[in-house]
Amino acid sequence: MNGASPHLTAELAELLGSNKLGTLATVGQDGLPRLSVVYYANLGERIFISTLRERVKAKDIERRGWAALSVRGEEPPYPSATFTGSAVVRSAGIGEDTALVMGRIAGLPEPPEPQSDEALAEAGRVLIEVTVERVSAVTHV
């Protein structure tokens, strides 16, 4: 789930791909930052977060089109970085990407079978997709 790209060195790609929890930052309706701990998966510079449509993080992203994900390694010296970029809330064609996230949550070696868009919509689920455009606050990587 990782790989080098224009914004990700091999080390940054490894940090992003080897963790499954991060802190998502969005901008609330009042203009103040909002933070939420989330499970995520990534394919290169695309970060996926499955959430419920009514969650404020989804509404923030729909309104602002931006998010940042801070990721920290679990072993000393606790490498970390913040991955920032444009973000969208998707509800179509999300089965495979949602399965990637669910597989990470469950700790599965392979993602589970994807659900249909209809089944995910019935459950109220959408997919946040952040495209990494900048990496900052890099430590011990």
Side-chain angles (χ1 to χ4, degrees):
M1 277 193 229
N2 54 33
S5 66
H7 297 99
L8 301 180
T9 63
E11 294 81 10
L12 288 168
E14 174 62 25
L15 175 67
L16 188 59
S18 64
N19 291 282
K20 62 183 177 180
L21 276 173
T23 302
L24 183 73
T26 60
V27 177
Q29 194 166 8
D30 58 5
L32 296 174
R34 191 182 329 256
L35 302 173
S36 178
V37 175
V38 296
Y39 285 95
Y40 72 91
N42 75 292
L43 291 174
E45 293 187 349
R46 295 173 31 218
I47 300 169
F48 307 115
I49 300 155
S50 179
T51 191
L52 296 171
R53 175 164 289 288
E54 73 265 4
R55 297 287 171 115
V56 292
K57 62 182 146 247
K59 292 177 183 177
D60 288 349
I61 289 170
E62 287 177 330
R63 188 176 47 260
R64 297 283 183 144
W66 172 93
L69 182 73
S70 179
V71 176
R72 185 193 77 154
E74 296 182 19
E75 299 293 328
Y78 305 105
S80 63
T82 299
F83 304 88
T84 305
S86 57
V88 295
V89 176
R90 295 174 35 211
S91 58
I94 65 172
E96 287 186 27
D97 297 334
T98 299
L100 286 174
V101 177
M102 295 307 169
R104 296 283 299 275
I105 291 170
L108 301 174
E110 294 292 325
E113 285 296 314
Q115 292 184 324
S116 68
D117 287 347
E118 295 76 19
L120 291 166
E122 188 174 311
R125 299 214 68 87
V126 294
L127 190 78
I128 293 170
E129 181 175 331
V130 180
T131 301
V132 177
E133 297 168 354
R134 188 176 115 201
V135 180
S136 61
V138 178
T139 59
H140 305 294
V141 174

